[in-house]
PDB file of all heavy atoms in Angstrom:
ATOM      1  N   ASP A  85     -33.813  23.037  -5.504  1.00  0.00           N
ATOM      2  CA  ASP A  85     -34.679  21.900  -5.841  1.00  0.00           C
ATOM      3  C   ASP A  85     -33.961  20.574  -5.614  1.00  0.00           C
ATOM      4  O   ASP A  85     -34.528  19.642  -5.054  1.00  0.00           O
ATOM      5  CB  ASP A  85     -35.146  21.987  -7.304  1.00  0.00           C
ATOM      6  CG  ASP A  85     -36.149  23.110  -7.503  1.00  0.00           C
ATOM      7  OD1 ASP A  85     -36.643  23.635  -6.480  1.00  0.00           O
ATOM      8  OD2 ASP A  85     -36.397  23.484  -8.666  1.00  0.00           O
ATOM      9  N   GLU A  86     -32.706  20.519  -6.042  1.00  0.00           N
ATOM     10  CA  GLU A  86     -31.956  19.271  -5.837  1.00  0.00           C
ATOM     11  C   GLU A  86     -31.690  19.046  -4.345  1.00  0.00           C
ATOM     12  O   GLU A  86     -31.724  17.916  -3.865  1.00  0.00           O
ATOM     13  CB  GLU A  86     -30.615  19.305  -6.595  1.00  0.00           C
ATOM     14  CG  GLU A  86     -30.742  19.043  -8.070  1.00  0.00           C
ATOM     15  CD  GLU A  86     -31.422  17.720  -8.402  1.00  0.00           C
ATOM     16  OE1 GLU A  86     -31.333  16.757  -7.606  1.00  0.00           O
ATOM     17  OE2 GLU A  86     -32.076  17.659  -9.454  1.00  0.00           O
ATOM     18  N   PHE A  87     -31.422  20.128  -3.642  1.00  0.00           N
ATOM     19  CA  PHE A  87     -31.206  20.032  -2.193  1.00  0.00           C
ATOM     20  C   PHE A  87     -32.468  19.473  -1.521  1.00  0.00           C
ATOM     21  O   PHE A  87     -32.413  18.560  -0.691  1.00  0.00           O
ATOM     22  CB  PHE A  87     -30.860  21.422  -1.650  1.00  0.00           C
ATOM     23  CG  PHE A  87     -30.936  21.551  -0.160  1.00  0.00           C
ATOM     24  CD1 PHE A  87     -30.003  20.926   0.655  1.00  0.00           C
ATOM     25  CD2 PHE A  87     -31.949  22.300   0.426  1.00  0.00           C
ATOM     26  CE1 PHE A  87     -30.080  21.041   2.035  1.00  0.00           C
ATOM     27  CE2 PHE A  87     -32.025  22.414   1.803  1.00  0.00           C
ATOM     28  CZ  PHE A  87     -31.093  21.787   2.614  1.00  0.00           C
ATOM     29  N   SER A  88     -33.609  20.006  -1.951  1.00  0.00           N
ATOM     30  CA  SER A  88     -34.875  19.580  -1.378  1.00  0.00           C
ATOM     31  C   SER A  88     -35.145  18.096  -1.684  1.00  0.00           C
ATOM     32  O   SER A  88     -35.593  17.338  -0.821  1.00  0.00           O
ATOM     33  CB  SER A  88     -35.967  20.496  -1.955  1.00  0.00           C
ATOM     34  OG  SER A  88     -37.207  20.079  -1.552  1.00  0.00           O
ATOM     35  N   ARG A  89     -34.813  17.676  -2.915  1.00  0.00           N
ATOM     36  CA  ARG A  89     -34.983  16.250  -3.270  1.00  0.00           C
ATOM     37  C   ARG A  89     -34.093  15.371  -2.405  1.00  0.00           C
ATOM     38  O   ARG A  89     -34.488  14.292  -1.967  1.00  0.00           O
ATOM     39  CB  ARG A  89     -34.618  16.037  -4.743  1.00  0.00           C
ATOM     40  CG  ARG A  89     -35.817  16.195  -5.682  1.00  0.00           C
ATOM     41  CD  ARG A  89     -35.471  15.690  -7.092  1.00  0.00           C
ATOM     42  NE  ARG A  89     -34.869  16.716  -7.901  1.00  0.00           N
ATOM     43  CZ  ARG A  89     -35.551  17.699  -8.500  1.00  0.00           C
ATOM     44  NH1 ARG A  89     -36.866  17.745  -8.399  1.00  0.00           N
ATOM     45  NH2 ARG A  89     -34.939  18.609  -9.194  1.00  0.00           N
ATOM     46  N   CYS A  90     -32.914  15.875  -2.122  1.00  0.00           N
ATOM     47  CA  CYS A  90     -31.970  15.114  -1.296  1.00  0.00           C
ATOM     48  C   CYS A  90     -32.509  14.974   0.130  1.00  0.00           C
ATOM     49  O   CYS A  90     -32.480  13.894   0.736  1.00  0.00           O
ATOM     50  CB  CYS A  90     -30.635  15.847  -1.329  1.00  0.00           C
ATOM     51  SG  CYS A  90     -29.306  15.004  -0.547  1.00  0.00           S
ATOM     52  N   CYS A  91     -33.074  16.069   0.665  1.00  0.00           N
ATOM     53  CA  CYS A  91     -33.663  16.026   2.019  1.00  0.00           C
ATOM     54  C   CYS A  91     -34.848  15.063   2.035  1.00  0.00           C
ATOM     55  O   CYS A  91     -35.033  14.304   3.002  1.00  0.00           O
ATOM     56  CB  CYS A  91     -34.143  17.421   2.442  1.00  0.00           C
ATOM     57  SG  CYS A  91     -32.801  18.593   2.614  1.00  0.00           S
ATOM     58  N   ALA A  92     -35.653  15.074   0.965  1.00  0.00           N
ATOM     59  CA  ALA A  92     -36.817  14.184   0.896  1.00  0.00           C
ATOM     60  C   ALA A  92     -36.364  12.723   0.904  1.00  0.00           C
ATOM     61  O   ALA A  92     -36.962  11.873   1.583  1.00  0.00           O
ATOM     62  CB  ALA A  92     -37.635  14.487  -0.362  1.00  0.00           C
ATOM     63  N   ALA A  93     -35.281  12.450   0.182  1.00  0.00           N
ATOM     64  CA  ALA A  93     -34.773  11.068   0.146  1.00  0.00           C
ATOM     65  C   ALA A  93     -34.260  10.648   1.521  1.00  0.00           C
ATOM     66  O   ALA A  93     -34.484   9.512   1.972  1.00  0.00           O
ATOM     67  CB  ALA A  93     -33.665  10.959  -0.896  1.00  0.00           C
ATOM     68  N   LEU A  94     -33.594  11.570   2.224  1.00  0.00           N
ATOM     69  CA  LEU A  94     -33.106  11.262   3.582  1.00  0.00           C
ATOM     70  C   LEU A  94     -34.260  10.916   4.510  1.00  0.00           C
ATOM     71  O   LEU A  94     -34.221   9.938   5.266  1.00  0.00           O
ATOM     72  CB  LEU A  94     -32.367  12.482   4.149  1.00  0.00           C
ATOM     73  CG  LEU A  94     -30.860  12.540   3.974  1.00  0.00           C
ATOM     74  CD1 LEU A  94     -30.337  13.928   4.304  1.00  0.00           C
ATOM     75  CD2 LEU A  94     -30.165  11.500   4.848  1.00  0.00           C
ATOM     76  N   LEU A  95     -35.309  11.751   4.421  1.00  0.00           N
ATOM     77  CA  LEU A  95     -36.454  11.535   5.310  1.00  0.00           C
ATOM     78  C   LEU A  95     -37.178  10.234   4.966  1.00  0.00           C
ATOM     79  O   LEU A  95     -37.615   9.497   5.860  1.00  0.00           O
ATOM     80  CB  LEU A  95     -37.405  12.737   5.198  1.00  0.00           C
ATOM     81  CG  LEU A  95     -38.602  12.716   6.140  1.00  0.00           C
ATOM     82  CD1 LEU A  95     -38.164  12.629   7.600  1.00  0.00           C
ATOM     83  CD2 LEU A  95     -39.449  13.978   5.929  1.00  0.00           C
ATOM     84  N   GLU A  96     -37.263   9.944   3.677  1.00  0.00           N
ATOM     85  CA  GLU A  96     -37.950   8.714   3.279  1.00  0.00           C
ATOM     86  C   GLU A  96     -37.183   7.483   3.774  1.00  0.00           C
ATOM     87  O   GLU A  96     -37.763   6.531   4.274  1.00  0.00           O
ATOM     88  CB  GLU A  96     -38.067   8.684   1.755  1.00  0.00           C
ATOM     89  CG  GLU A  96     -39.025   7.595   1.297  1.00  0.00           C
ATOM     90  CD  GLU A  96     -39.135   7.568  -0.223  1.00  0.00           C
ATOM     91  OE1 GLU A  96     -39.076   8.647  -0.841  1.00  0.00           O
ATOM     92  OE2 GLU A  96     -39.260   6.455  -0.764  1.00  0.00           O
ATOM     93  N   GLU A  97     -35.861   7.533   3.662  1.00  0.00           N
ATOM     94  CA  GLU A  97     -35.053   6.376   4.084  1.00  0.00           C
ATOM     95  C   GLU A  97     -34.952   6.267   5.604  1.00  0.00           C
ATOM     96  O   GLU A  97     -34.842   5.172   6.143  1.00  0.00           O
ATOM     97  CB  GLU A  97     -33.627   6.489   3.524  1.00  0.00           C
ATOM     98  CG  GLU A  97     -33.521   6.379   2.032  1.00  0.00           C
ATOM     99  CD  GLU A  97     -33.803   4.959   1.514  1.00  0.00           C
ATOM    100  OE1 GLU A  97     -33.739   3.996   2.306  1.00  0.00           O
ATOM    101  OE2 GLU A  97     -34.094   4.857   0.309  1.00  0.00           O
ATOM    102  N   PHE A  98     -34.950   7.415   6.276  1.00  0.00           N
ATOM    103  CA  PHE A  98     -34.734   7.404   7.733  1.00  0.00           C
ATOM    104  C   PHE A  98     -35.829   8.191   8.430  1.00  0.00           C
ATOM    105  O   PHE A  98     -35.575   9.271   8.991  1.00  0.00           O
ATOM    106  CB  PHE A  98     -33.339   7.965   8.056  1.00  0.00           C
ATOM    107  CG  PHE A  98     -32.250   7.232   7.357  1.00  0.00           C
ATOM    108  CD1 PHE A  98     -31.686   7.744   6.195  1.00  0.00           C
ATOM    109  CD2 PHE A  98     -31.828   5.996   7.825  1.00  0.00           C
ATOM    110  CE1 PHE A  98     -30.706   7.051   5.518  1.00  0.00           C
ATOM    111  CE2 PHE A  98     -30.834   5.292   7.156  1.00  0.00           C
ATOM    112  CZ  PHE A  98     -30.274   5.818   5.996  1.00  0.00           C
ATOM    113  N   PRO A  99     -37.075   7.669   8.395  1.00  0.00           N
ATOM    114  CA  PRO A  99     -38.197   8.451   8.923  1.00  0.00           C
ATOM    115  C   PRO A  99     -38.184   8.568  10.449  1.00  0.00           C
ATOM    116  O   PRO A  99     -38.735   9.515  10.992  1.00  0.00           O
ATOM    117  CB  PRO A  99     -39.428   7.675   8.442  1.00  0.00           C
ATOM    118  CG  PRO A  99     -38.937   6.297   8.143  1.00  0.00           C
ATOM    119  CD  PRO A  99     -37.496   6.403   7.798  1.00  0.00           C
ATOM    120  N   ASP A 100     -37.534   7.620  11.129  1.00  0.00           N
ATOM    121  CA  ASP A 100     -37.586   7.768  12.591  1.00  0.00           C
ATOM    122  C   ASP A 100     -36.211   8.095  13.168  1.00  0.00           C
ATOM    123  O   ASP A 100     -35.165   7.716  12.621  1.00  0.00           O
ATOM    124  CB  ASP A 100     -38.223   6.535  13.246  1.00  0.00           C
ATOM    125  CG  ASP A 100     -37.266   5.397  13.388  1.00  0.00           C
ATOM    126  OD1 ASP A 100     -36.490   5.418  14.348  1.00  0.00           O
ATOM    127  OD2 ASP A 100     -37.292   4.491  12.516  1.00  0.00           O
ATOM    128  N   ALA A 101     -36.248   8.830  14.272  1.00  0.00           N
ATOM    129  CA  ALA A 101     -35.027   9.396  14.855  1.00  0.00           C
ATOM    130  C   ALA A 101     -34.074   8.324  15.366  1.00  0.00           C
ATOM    131  O   ALA A 101     -32.899   8.593  15.608  1.00  0.00           O
ATOM    132  CB  ALA A 101     -35.397  10.351  15.988  1.00  0.00           C
ATOM    133  N   GLY A 102     -34.578   7.089  15.509  1.00  0.00           N
ATOM    134  CA  GLY A 102     -33.727   6.023  16.059  1.00  0.00           C
ATOM    135  C   GLY A 102     -32.679   5.521  15.083  1.00  0.00           C
ATOM    136  O   GLY A 102     -31.748   4.828  15.469  1.00  0.00           O
ATOM    137  N   SER A 103     -32.825   5.823  13.803  1.00  0.00           N
ATOM    138  CA  SER A 103     -31.891   5.243  12.833  1.00  0.00           C
ATOM    139  C   SER A 103     -31.139   6.353  12.091  1.00  0.00           C
ATOM    140  O   SER A 103     -31.368   6.606  10.923  1.00  0.00           O
ATOM    141  CB  SER A 103     -32.653   4.386  11.825  1.00  0.00           C
ATOM    142  OG  SER A 103     -33.542   5.211  11.091  1.00  0.00           O
ATOM    143  N   THR A 104     -30.252   7.013  12.810  1.00  0.00           N
ATOM    144  CA  THR A 104     -29.493   8.103  12.179  1.00  0.00           C
ATOM    145  C   THR A 104     -28.376   7.518  11.308  1.00  0.00           C
ATOM    146  O   THR A 104     -27.559   6.731  11.803  1.00  0.00           O
ATOM    147  CB  THR A 104     -28.884   9.003  13.267  1.00  0.00           C
ATOM    148  OG1 THR A 104     -29.946   9.455  14.078  1.00  0.00           O
ATOM    149  CG2 THR A 104     -28.178  10.198  12.646  1.00  0.00           C
ATOM    150  N   PRO A 105     -28.321   7.915  10.048  1.00  0.00           N
ATOM    151  CA  PRO A 105     -27.259   7.360   9.190  1.00  0.00           C
ATOM    152  C   PRO A 105     -25.969   8.177   9.268  1.00  0.00           C
ATOM    153  O   PRO A 105     -25.980   9.306   9.746  1.00  0.00           O
ATOM    154  CB  PRO A 105     -27.865   7.525   7.785  1.00  0.00           C
ATOM    155  CG  PRO A 105     -28.655   8.806   7.898  1.00  0.00           C
ATOM    156  CD  PRO A 105     -29.202   8.847   9.311  1.00  0.00           C
ATOM    157  N   VAL A 106     -24.892   7.588   8.774  1.00  0.00           N
ATOM    158  CA  VAL A 106     -23.720   8.390   8.423  1.00  0.00           C
ATOM    159  C   VAL A 106     -23.913   8.728   6.944  1.00  0.00           C
ATOM    160  O   VAL A 106     -24.235   7.857   6.140  1.00  0.00           O
ATOM    161  CB  VAL A 106     -22.404   7.601   8.601  1.00  0.00           C
ATOM    162  CG1 VAL A 106     -21.221   8.461   8.145  1.00  0.00           C
ATOM    163  CG2 VAL A 106     -22.221   7.166  10.036  1.00  0.00           C
ATOM    164  N   VAL A 107     -23.742  10.006   6.601  1.00  0.00           N
ATOM    165  CA  VAL A 107     -23.894  10.424   5.202  1.00  0.00           C
ATOM    166  C   VAL A 107     -22.501  10.441   4.548  1.00  0.00           C
ATOM    167  O   VAL A 107     -21.551  10.996   5.110  1.00  0.00           O
ATOM    168  CB  VAL A 107     -24.566  11.813   5.121  1.00  0.00           C
ATOM    169  CG1 VAL A 107     -24.570  12.336   3.691  1.00  0.00           C
ATOM    170  CG2 VAL A 107     -25.998  11.741   5.659  1.00  0.00           C
TER     171      VAL A 107
END
Side-chain angles (χ1 to χ4, degrees):
D85 289 347
E86 282 304 331
F87 166 70
S88 175
R89 270 192 273 282
C90 187
C91 295
L94 266 167
L95 184 58
E96 192 180 325
E97 293 290 342
F98 304 99
D100 80 81
S103 63
T104 304
V106 177
V107 173

